[in-house]
Amino acid sequence: MTTATTAAARTRRRPRLTRDQALLVVLGLPGALALVVFHYVPLLGNVIAWQDYQPYLGLTESDWVGWQNFSFLWDGNPEFRNALWNTVILTIIQTVLIFPVPLALALVLNSLAGERLKRTLQSILYLPHFLSWVIVVALFQQMLGNAGMLNTFLVQHDLPVLHVIGAPELFKALITSQAIWKDAGWGTILFLAAISRIDQEQYEAAAVDGANARQRLWHITLPALKGLIVLLLILRLGSSLSVGFEQILLQQGPVGLQASEVLDTWVYNNGILGGNWGTSAAAGLVKGLVGVLLVVGANKLAHAFGERGVYEK
Amino acid sequence: MEKPGPVTQALKFIVLGFAVAVVVIPFWSVIATSLADQETINDAGGGMVMWPGGGVNLDSYTAVLSGGVVTRAVVVSVGITVVGTLLSLAATAGLAYWLSRPRAWGAKPVLMLVLGAVLFSPGLIPSYLVVKEFHLLDSWWSLVLPVLVNAFNVIVMRAFFQELPKELFESAAIDGVGAGTILLRIVLPLSKAVLAVIGLFYAVAYWNAFFNALLYIQSSDKWPMALVLRTYVVNQTTIGGDQVGGAEALPPQLPLQMAILVIAIVPILLVYPFLQRHFAKGVMIGAVKG
């Protein structure tokens, strides 16, 4: 009798399983298709880096030119070289100056006693992350621009005006402070979560042994955060040549390209606006590959130092 | 543990007080200036104010919202945000559900596809060409379809689905319930938190969308808020009467610009309390499981 029921159940379940599988595929397919069409097809579209692409001829009719677009970049096109240079400098600035800010902020926040005060402060500091760059740039203009709040105040008190916005020599400082303003608070989330997982008994034991606050920070908190710091640094490397595209594009006008052009804006200005599709695609491709290589390389390095990295070996 | 010394304590409060002031003051003064009248602005030397003075004055808001380019942009942005968020959530949840079920057909290679999409970004020029080849240029769909699915969000949602108790699925299967019913009756109701967070992430992204709009939208009557903001607030293009529904007596430029800025910020401020209850958790799932 048992065999009869299981056999009957099996014949009933087979079509049900097939139907379930088909349903899963149908539910998931639109999303998968969107990824293929708008993520993987463009990846293939990078072949125009080897073409003299002409929009009216299209992908199939345009001439193939070998490595010419790449050699155009290697041979030191001055605008490209300037963009590359600005990008590298900004990458270094961002890693050295922007990266540690959320960590420092998280440590200060964590040392506060009141849970409610901590929560409130966090909520306020996270907020700018959700604003678009257009809004952030507009806010900065209203605060620091020539007719902004700061200068209105200075004029009213007979002090000299500060040209913070639109000054080429201050552009990198401006970009950096905007990036800190927007995302430093948001960046504390991961650090605070990691800190909250540290075993409290370690601190108590250290305190009993006479370790002061700075020693506890140095010997307990920071070592516990090492893995996360390495992970975030690696992730950062992957996007290291992306140094704030929208933000910079929005503010290029008054400062000029010499000070403000970076790889991403060069690709846009030279390609989409200038119509030099091939060289721009080549530059974008090289940039993307460098990012991936940096992540893979840094991950290898992390493994060599005994850290987990982004992915396991 | 001993109490920190007064110097350390004071230093802490200075640092945090400064951080909070730097975030709050810009919002405050933008709102105050948007409500100020000509006289107050003149008294401030033509610049931003910290207090509207002479009472709250809504002229700027009535002017920019009484038809014209700003009003249209608000409608466009709301439309794109609502439609985009719903489609994105459906596509993301569908894909995540497929990839979260054990022994689902084709799930393994598709998962690799999703992970690859997190690692490799397609590049600006080829993306533009794909949108162009699909004849999406200057269409609102160009702001939705290319960003329909965020691979990272798929991974977060899949992780959430996988964490649902296995027993629920097993007992449902024994009761002879199919995958569709399990999704509708069990998975989705239990996943309200993650749906809310991911939905709000998508909504914020759609509302803020600037670069794709700059790239793909050509005619100014299709502009979303971000392009209006860039033109009239960042680039300070003068707002004329015909841009704000032909108002006769136009309020001064600065409060008008600040009103546009406030209108762009308000939706974020409205969803923020809901968002921030959940997002730490959502981000953690993504970071730990991803």
PDB file of all heavy atoms in Angstrom, chain B residues 67-102:
ATOM      1  N   GLY B  67       2.940  75.232 -12.106  1.00  0.00           N
ATOM      2  CA  GLY B  67       3.098  74.909 -13.519  1.00  0.00           C
ATOM      3  C   GLY B  67       4.451  75.337 -14.008  1.00  0.00           C
ATOM      4  O   GLY B  67       5.181  76.045 -13.324  1.00  0.00           O
ATOM      5  N   GLY B  68       4.821  74.879 -15.217  1.00  0.00           N
ATOM      6  CA  GLY B  68       6.127  75.214 -15.759  1.00  0.00           C
ATOM      7  C   GLY B  68       7.153  74.132 -15.510  1.00  0.00           C
ATOM      8  O   GLY B  68       6.815  73.014 -15.103  1.00  0.00           O
ATOM      9  N   VAL B  69       8.416  74.480 -15.712  1.00  0.00           N
ATOM     10  CA  VAL B  69       9.455  73.464 -15.817  1.00  0.00           C
ATOM     11  C   VAL B  69       9.700  72.729 -14.496  1.00  0.00           C
ATOM     12  O   VAL B  69       9.900  71.515 -14.488  1.00  0.00           O
ATOM     13  CB  VAL B  69      10.765  74.110 -16.371  1.00  0.00           C
ATOM     14  CG1 VAL B  69      11.471  74.926 -15.324  1.00  0.00           C
ATOM     15  CG2 VAL B  69      11.663  73.065 -16.955  1.00  0.00           C
ATOM     16  N   VAL B  70       9.607  73.423 -13.368  1.00  0.00           N
ATOM     17  CA  VAL B  70       9.867  72.755 -12.091  1.00  0.00           C
ATOM     18  C   VAL B  70       8.740  71.793 -11.752  1.00  0.00           C
ATOM     19  O   VAL B  70       8.962  70.634 -11.378  1.00  0.00           O
ATOM     20  CB  VAL B  70      10.050  73.785 -10.952  1.00  0.00           C
ATOM     21  CG1 VAL B  70      10.399  73.086  -9.655  1.00  0.00           C
ATOM     22  CG2 VAL B  70      11.126  74.790 -11.312  1.00  0.00           C
ATOM     23  N   THR B  71       7.503  72.277 -11.894  1.00  0.00           N
ATOM     24  CA  THR B  71       6.349  71.425 -11.612  1.00  0.00           C
ATOM     25  C   THR B  71       6.401  70.153 -12.465  1.00  0.00           C
ATOM     26  O   THR B  71       6.186  69.046 -11.968  1.00  0.00           O
ATOM     27  CB  THR B  71       5.051  72.181 -11.946  1.00  0.00           C
ATOM     28  OG1 THR B  71       5.171  73.508 -11.465  1.00  0.00           O
ATOM     29  CG2 THR B  71       3.862  71.512 -11.312  1.00  0.00           C
ATOM     30  N   ARG B  72       6.728  70.346 -13.761  1.00  0.00           N
ATOM     31  CA  ARG B  72       6.785  69.195 -14.652  1.00  0.00           C
ATOM     32  C   ARG B  72       7.863  68.221 -14.187  1.00  0.00           C
ATOM     33  O   ARG B  72       7.668  67.007 -14.190  1.00  0.00           O
ATOM     34  CB  ARG B  72       7.075  69.682 -16.076  1.00  0.00           C
ATOM     35  CG  ARG B  72       6.528  68.773 -17.141  1.00  0.00           C
ATOM     36  CD  ARG B  72       6.404  69.487 -18.469  1.00  0.00           C
ATOM     37  NE  ARG B  72       7.587  70.269 -18.777  1.00  0.00           N
ATOM     38  CZ  ARG B  72       7.569  71.495 -19.295  1.00  0.00           C
ATOM     39  NH1 ARG B  72       6.426  72.079 -19.558  1.00  0.00           N
ATOM     40  NH2 ARG B  72       8.687  72.124 -19.567  1.00  0.00           N
ATOM     41  N   ALA B  73       9.018  68.764 -13.776  1.00  0.00           N
ATOM     42  CA  ALA B  73      10.113  67.901 -13.335  1.00  0.00           C
ATOM     43  C   ALA B  73       9.728  67.118 -12.078  1.00  0.00           C
ATOM     44  O   ALA B  73      10.109  65.955 -11.932  1.00  0.00           O
ATOM     45  CB  ALA B  73      11.367  68.731 -13.074  1.00  0.00           C
ATOM     46  N   VAL B  74       8.961  67.755 -11.196  1.00  0.00           N
ATOM     47  CA  VAL B  74       8.512  67.036  -9.996  1.00  0.00           C
ATOM     48  C   VAL B  74       7.647  65.846 -10.421  1.00  0.00           C
ATOM     49  O   VAL B  74       7.841  64.722  -9.952  1.00  0.00           O
ATOM     50  CB  VAL B  74       7.722  67.965  -9.043  1.00  0.00           C
ATOM     51  CG1 VAL B  74       7.089  67.156  -7.922  1.00  0.00           C
ATOM     52  CG2 VAL B  74       8.620  69.042  -8.471  1.00  0.00           C
ATOM     53  N   VAL B  75       6.721  66.097 -11.342  1.00  0.00           N
ATOM     54  CA  VAL B  75       5.843  65.025 -11.811  1.00  0.00           C
ATOM     55  C   VAL B  75       6.671  63.913 -12.462  1.00  0.00           C
ATOM     56  O   VAL B  75       6.478  62.725 -12.190  1.00  0.00           O
ATOM     57  CB  VAL B  75       4.789  65.578 -12.793  1.00  0.00           C
ATOM     58  CG1 VAL B  75       3.952  64.437 -13.366  1.00  0.00           C
ATOM     59  CG2 VAL B  75       3.905  66.596 -12.094  1.00  0.00           C
ATOM     60  N   VAL B  76       7.615  64.306 -13.314  1.00  0.00           N
ATOM     61  CA  VAL B  76       8.457  63.310 -13.991  1.00  0.00           C
ATOM     62  C   VAL B  76       9.231  62.486 -12.971  1.00  0.00           C
ATOM     63  O   VAL B  76       9.252  61.255 -13.025  1.00  0.00           O
ATOM     64  CB  VAL B  76       9.441  64.004 -14.972  1.00  0.00           C
ATOM     65  CG1 VAL B  76      10.509  63.029 -15.445  1.00  0.00           C
ATOM     66  CG2 VAL B  76       8.695  64.586 -16.146  1.00  0.00           C
ATOM     67  N   SER B  77       9.853  63.157 -12.017  1.00  0.00           N
ATOM     68  CA  SER B  77      10.665  62.437 -11.040  1.00  0.00           C
ATOM     69  C   SER B  77       9.826  61.509 -10.175  1.00  0.00           C
ATOM     70  O   SER B  77      10.233  60.385  -9.895  1.00  0.00           O
ATOM     71  CB  SER B  77      11.423  63.426 -10.146  1.00  0.00           C
ATOM     72  OG  SER B  77      12.623  63.803 -10.762  1.00  0.00           O
ATOM     73  N   VAL B  78       8.659  61.991  -9.758  1.00  0.00           N
ATOM     74  CA  VAL B  78       7.780  61.128  -8.955  1.00  0.00           C
ATOM     75  C   VAL B  78       7.379  59.911  -9.783  1.00  0.00           C
ATOM     76  O   VAL B  78       7.428  58.769  -9.318  1.00  0.00           O
ATOM     77  CB  VAL B  78       6.538  61.906  -8.471  1.00  0.00           C
ATOM     78  CG1 VAL B  78       5.506  60.951  -7.889  1.00  0.00           C
ATOM     79  CG2 VAL B  78       6.930  62.941  -7.436  1.00  0.00           C
ATOM     80  N   GLY B  79       7.012  60.139 -11.048  1.00  0.00           N
ATOM     81  CA  GLY B  79       6.600  59.032 -11.915  1.00  0.00           C
ATOM     82  C   GLY B  79       7.700  58.006 -12.090  1.00  0.00           C
ATOM     83  O   GLY B  79       7.481  56.804 -11.906  1.00  0.00           O
ATOM     84  N   ILE B  80       8.912  58.485 -12.416  1.00  0.00           N
ATOM     85  CA  ILE B  80      10.027  57.565 -12.612  1.00  0.00           C
ATOM     86  C   ILE B  80      10.340  56.819 -11.335  1.00  0.00           C
ATOM     87  O   ILE B  80      10.593  55.613 -11.338  1.00  0.00           O
ATOM     88  CB  ILE B  80      11.273  58.337 -13.108  1.00  0.00           C
ATOM     89  CG1 ILE B  80      11.056  58.775 -14.556  1.00  0.00           C
ATOM     90  CG2 ILE B  80      12.528  57.483 -12.992  1.00  0.00           C
ATOM     91  CD1 ILE B  80      12.063  59.760 -15.043  1.00  0.00           C
ATOM     92  N   THR B  81      10.267  57.530 -10.206  1.00  0.00           N
ATOM     93  CA  THR B  81      10.583  56.895  -8.932  1.00  0.00           C
ATOM     94  C   THR B  81       9.576  55.797  -8.604  1.00  0.00           C
ATOM     95  O   THR B  81       9.950  54.685  -8.224  1.00  0.00           O
ATOM     96  CB  THR B  81      10.610  57.945  -7.806  1.00  0.00           C
ATOM     97  OG1 THR B  81      11.535  58.975  -8.169  1.00  0.00           O
ATOM     98  CG2 THR B  81      11.036  57.336  -6.496  1.00  0.00           C
ATOM     99  N   VAL B  82       8.287  56.093  -8.781  1.00  0.00           N
ATOM    100  CA  VAL B  82       7.260  55.104  -8.431  1.00  0.00           C
ATOM    101  C   VAL B  82       7.326  53.904  -9.375  1.00  0.00           C
ATOM    102  O   VAL B  82       7.455  52.748  -8.940  1.00  0.00           O
ATOM    103  CB  VAL B  82       5.853  55.749  -8.467  1.00  0.00           C
ATOM    104  CG1 VAL B  82       4.780  54.678  -8.326  1.00  0.00           C
ATOM    105  CG2 VAL B  82       5.728  56.788  -7.365  1.00  0.00           C
ATOM    106  N   VAL B  83       7.285  54.175 -10.674  1.00  0.00           N
ATOM    107  CA  VAL B  83       7.292  53.071 -11.643  1.00  0.00           C
ATOM    108  C   VAL B  83       8.595  52.280 -11.543  1.00  0.00           C
ATOM    109  O   VAL B  83       8.594  51.046 -11.466  1.00  0.00           O
ATOM    110  CB  VAL B  83       7.120  53.624 -13.078  1.00  0.00           C
ATOM    111  CG1 VAL B  83       7.297  52.527 -14.111  1.00  0.00           C
ATOM    112  CG2 VAL B  83       5.758  54.275 -13.221  1.00  0.00           C
ATOM    113  N   GLY B  84       9.717  53.014 -11.497  1.00  0.00           N
ATOM    114  CA  GLY B  84      11.017  52.353 -11.434  1.00  0.00           C
ATOM    115  C   GLY B  84      11.157  51.484 -10.199  1.00  0.00           C
ATOM    116  O   GLY B  84      11.596  50.346 -10.279  1.00  0.00           O
ATOM    117  N   THR B  85      10.752  52.015  -9.044  1.00  0.00           N
ATOM    118  CA  THR B  85      10.912  51.261  -7.805  1.00  0.00           C
ATOM    119  C   THR B  85      10.085  49.980  -7.831  1.00  0.00           C
ATOM    120  O   THR B  85      10.574  48.908  -7.452  1.00  0.00           O
ATOM    121  CB  THR B  85      10.502  52.126  -6.596  1.00  0.00           C
ATOM    122  OG1 THR B  85      11.270  53.334  -6.633  1.00  0.00           O
ATOM    123  CG2 THR B  85      10.761  51.408  -5.303  1.00  0.00           C
ATOM    124  N   LEU B  86       8.838  50.089  -8.310  1.00  0.00           N
ATOM    125  CA  LEU B  86       7.991  48.898  -8.352  1.00  0.00           C
ATOM    126  C   LEU B  86       8.582  47.842  -9.279  1.00  0.00           C
ATOM    127  O   LEU B  86       8.694  46.659  -8.922  1.00  0.00           O
ATOM    128  CB  LEU B  86       6.570  49.264  -8.799  1.00  0.00           C
ATOM    129  CG  LEU B  86       5.773  50.088  -7.778  1.00  0.00           C
ATOM    130  CD1 LEU B  86       4.413  50.471  -8.344  1.00  0.00           C
ATOM    131  CD2 LEU B  86       5.614  49.305  -6.477  1.00  0.00           C
ATOM    132  N   LEU B  87       9.006  48.273 -10.474  1.00  0.00           N
ATOM    133  CA  LEU B  87       9.584  47.307 -11.415  1.00  0.00           C
ATOM    134  C   LEU B  87      10.885  46.717 -10.877  1.00  0.00           C
ATOM    135  O   LEU B  87      11.110  45.509 -10.972  1.00  0.00           O
ATOM    136  CB  LEU B  87       9.836  47.980 -12.768  1.00  0.00           C
ATOM    137  CG  LEU B  87       8.593  48.370 -13.564  1.00  0.00           C
ATOM    138  CD1 LEU B  87       8.992  49.049 -14.873  1.00  0.00           C
ATOM    139  CD2 LEU B  87       7.741  47.143 -13.856  1.00  0.00           C
ATOM    140  N   SER B  88      11.713  47.562 -10.290  1.00  0.00           N
ATOM    141  CA  SER B  88      12.993  47.085  -9.762  1.00  0.00           C
ATOM    142  C   SER B  88      12.777  46.070  -8.641  1.00  0.00           C
ATOM    143  O   SER B  88      13.442  45.041  -8.588  1.00  0.00           O
ATOM    144  CB  SER B  88      13.816  48.245  -9.208  1.00  0.00           C
ATOM    145  OG  SER B  88      14.377  48.987 -10.255  1.00  0.00           O
ATOM    146  N   LEU B  89      11.825  46.385  -7.757  1.00  0.00           N
ATOM    147  CA  LEU B  89      11.559  45.468  -6.645  1.00  0.00           C
ATOM    148  C   LEU B  89      11.077  44.123  -7.164  1.00  0.00           C
ATOM    149  O   LEU B  89      11.535  43.073  -6.719  1.00  0.00           O
ATOM    150  CB  LEU B  89      10.496  46.070  -5.722  1.00  0.00           C
ATOM    151  CG  LEU B  89      10.978  46.731  -4.439  1.00  0.00           C
ATOM    152  CD1 LEU B  89       9.800  47.064  -3.566  1.00  0.00           C
ATOM    153  CD2 LEU B  89      11.960  45.845  -3.699  1.00  0.00           C
ATOM    154  N   ALA B  90      10.148  44.165  -8.142  1.00  0.00           N
ATOM    155  CA  ALA B  90       9.623  42.911  -8.685  1.00  0.00           C
ATOM    156  C   ALA B  90      10.738  42.105  -9.340  1.00  0.00           C
ATOM    157  O   ALA B  90      10.888  40.902  -9.080  1.00  0.00           O
ATOM    158  CB  ALA B  90       8.505  43.210  -9.694  1.00  0.00           C
ATOM    159  N   ALA B  91      11.562  42.776 -10.157  1.00  0.00           N
ATOM    160  CA  ALA B  91      12.625  42.060 -10.857  1.00  0.00           C
ATOM    161  C   ALA B  91      13.668  41.526  -9.878  1.00  0.00           C
ATOM    162  O   ALA B  91      14.139  40.392 -10.009  1.00  0.00           O
ATOM    163  CB  ALA B  91      13.291  42.982 -11.879  1.00  0.00           C
ATOM    164  N   THR B  92      14.009  42.340  -8.883  1.00  0.00           N
ATOM    165  CA  THR B  92      15.025  41.933  -7.908  1.00  0.00           C
ATOM    166  C   THR B  92      14.529  40.771  -7.059  1.00  0.00           C
ATOM    167  O   THR B  92      15.236  39.784  -6.848  1.00  0.00           O
ATOM    168  CB  THR B  92      15.394  43.120  -6.997  1.00  0.00           C
ATOM    169  OG1 THR B  92      15.776  44.220  -7.830  1.00  0.00           O
ATOM    170  CG2 THR B  92      16.529  42.770  -6.082  1.00  0.00           C
ATOM    171  N   ALA B  93      13.274  40.887  -6.581  1.00  0.00           N
ATOM    172  CA  ALA B  93      12.733  39.822  -5.734  1.00  0.00           C
ATOM    173  C   ALA B  93      12.605  38.527  -6.537  1.00  0.00           C
ATOM    174  O   ALA B  93      12.930  37.443  -6.046  1.00  0.00           O
ATOM    175  CB  ALA B  93      11.379  40.236  -5.165  1.00  0.00           C
ATOM    176  N   GLY B  94      12.153  38.632  -7.775  1.00  0.00           N
ATOM    177  CA  GLY B  94      12.014  37.444  -8.615  1.00  0.00           C
ATOM    178  C   GLY B  94      13.347  36.749  -8.813  1.00  0.00           C
ATOM    179  O   GLY B  94      13.474  35.529  -8.629  1.00  0.00           O
ATOM    180  N   LEU B  95      14.350  37.536  -9.163  1.00  0.00           N
ATOM    181  CA  LEU B  95      15.676  36.969  -9.400  1.00  0.00           C
ATOM    182  C   LEU B  95      16.256  36.383  -8.114  1.00  0.00           C
ATOM    183  O   LEU B  95      16.800  35.274  -8.102  1.00  0.00           O
ATOM    184  CB  LEU B  95      16.590  38.071  -9.960  1.00  0.00           C
ATOM    185  CG  LEU B  95      17.991  37.687 -10.402  1.00  0.00           C
ATOM    186  CD1 LEU B  95      17.956  36.509 -11.360  1.00  0.00           C
ATOM    187  CD2 LEU B  95      18.675  38.880 -11.077  1.00  0.00           C
ATOM    188  N   ALA B  96      16.087  37.128  -7.003  1.00  0.00           N
ATOM    189  CA  ALA B  96      16.631  36.658  -5.729  1.00  0.00           C
ATOM    190  C   ALA B  96      15.939  35.355  -5.293  1.00  0.00           C
ATOM    191  O   ALA B  96      16.585  34.448  -4.770  1.00  0.00           O
ATOM    192  CB  ALA B  96      16.468  37.732  -4.659  1.00  0.00           C
ATOM    193  N   TYR B  97      14.631  35.263  -5.546  1.00  0.00           N
ATOM    194  CA  TYR B  97      13.888  34.051  -5.152  1.00  0.00           C
ATOM    195  C   TYR B  97      14.372  32.849  -5.955  1.00  0.00           C
ATOM    196  O   TYR B  97      14.622  31.770  -5.403  1.00  0.00           O
ATOM    197  CB  TYR B  97      12.389  34.287  -5.387  1.00  0.00           C
ATOM    198  CG  TYR B  97      11.506  33.155  -4.911  1.00  0.00           C
ATOM    199  CD1 TYR B  97      11.578  32.692  -3.598  1.00  0.00           C
ATOM    200  CD2 TYR B  97      10.590  32.562  -5.776  1.00  0.00           C
ATOM    201  CE1 TYR B  97      10.757  31.665  -3.162  1.00  0.00           C
ATOM    202  CE2 TYR B  97       9.764  31.539  -5.346  1.00  0.00           C
ATOM    203  CZ  TYR B  97       9.860  31.085  -4.041  1.00  0.00           C
ATOM    204  OH  TYR B  97       9.057  30.073  -3.619  1.00  0.00           O
ATOM    205  N   TRP B  98      14.532  33.054  -7.252  1.00  0.00           N
ATOM    206  CA  TRP B  98      15.057  31.995  -8.117  1.00  0.00           C
ATOM    207  C   TRP B  98      16.403  31.501  -7.575  1.00  0.00           C
ATOM    208  O   TRP B  98      16.625  30.293  -7.398  1.00  0.00           O
ATOM    209  CB  TRP B  98      15.200  32.548  -9.536  1.00  0.00           C
ATOM    210  CG  TRP B  98      15.723  31.571 -10.555  1.00  0.00           C
ATOM    211  CD1 TRP B  98      15.792  30.213 -10.446  1.00  0.00           C
ATOM    212  CD2 TRP B  98      16.237  31.891 -11.854  1.00  0.00           C
ATOM    213  NE1 TRP B  98      16.303  29.671 -11.585  1.00  0.00           N
ATOM    214  CE2 TRP B  98      16.599  30.670 -12.462  1.00  0.00           C
ATOM    215  CE3 TRP B  98      16.430  33.078 -12.560  1.00  0.00           C
ATOM    216  CZ2 TRP B  98      17.133  30.617 -13.763  1.00  0.00           C
ATOM    217  CZ3 TRP B  98      16.954  33.020 -13.848  1.00  0.00           C
ATOM    218  CH2 TRP B  98      17.303  31.802 -14.433  1.00  0.00           C
ATOM    219  N   LEU B  99      17.308  32.447  -7.294  1.00  0.00           N
ATOM    220  CA  LEU B  99      18.666  32.081  -6.896  1.00  0.00           C
ATOM    221  C   LEU B  99      18.725  31.556  -5.468  1.00  0.00           C
ATOM    222  O   LEU B  99      19.706  30.958  -5.065  1.00  0.00           O
ATOM    223  CB  LEU B  99      19.599  33.280  -7.046  1.00  0.00           C
ATOM    224  CG  LEU B  99      19.680  33.886  -8.445  1.00  0.00           C
ATOM    225  CD1 LEU B  99      20.676  35.026  -8.482  1.00  0.00           C
ATOM    226  CD2 LEU B  99      20.054  32.816  -9.464  1.00  0.00           C
ATOM    227  N   SER B 100      17.655  31.791  -4.681  1.00  0.00           N
ATOM    228  CA  SER B 100      17.700  31.374  -3.285  1.00  0.00           C
ATOM    229  C   SER B 100      17.173  29.951  -3.088  1.00  0.00           C
ATOM    230  O   SER B 100      17.415  29.347  -2.050  1.00  0.00           O
ATOM    231  CB  SER B 100      16.875  32.333  -2.416  1.00  0.00           C
ATOM    232  OG  SER B 100      15.496  32.093  -2.611  1.00  0.00           O
ATOM    233  N   ARG B 101      16.422  29.424  -4.069  1.00  0.00           N
ATOM    234  CA  ARG B 101      15.861  28.085  -3.896  1.00  0.00           C
ATOM    235  C   ARG B 101      16.913  27.037  -4.195  1.00  0.00           C
ATOM    236  O   ARG B 101      17.563  27.096  -5.248  1.00  0.00           O
ATOM    237  CB  ARG B 101      14.642  27.871  -4.815  1.00  0.00           C
ATOM    238  CG  ARG B 101      13.528  28.863  -4.636  1.00  0.00           C
ATOM    239  CD  ARG B 101      13.033  28.978  -3.193  1.00  0.00           C
ATOM    240  NE  ARG B 101      12.533  27.728  -2.661  1.00  0.00           N
ATOM    241  CZ  ARG B 101      12.849  27.262  -1.462  1.00  0.00           C
ATOM    242  NH1 ARG B 101      13.642  27.945  -0.686  1.00  0.00           N
ATOM    243  NH2 ARG B 101      12.362  26.126  -1.061  1.00  0.00           N
ATOM    244  N   PRO B 102      17.084  26.066  -3.293  1.00  0.00           N
ATOM    245  CA  PRO B 102      18.058  25.013  -3.585  1.00  0.00           C
ATOM    246  C   PRO B 102      17.590  24.183  -4.795  1.00  0.00           C
ATOM    247  O   PRO B 102      16.387  23.986  -4.995  1.00  0.00           O
ATOM    248  CB  PRO B 102      18.068  24.171  -2.303  1.00  0.00           C
ATOM    249  CG  PRO B 102      16.817  24.526  -1.584  1.00  0.00           C
ATOM    250  CD  PRO B 102      16.414  25.892  -2.010  1.00  0.00           C
TER     251      PRO B 102
END
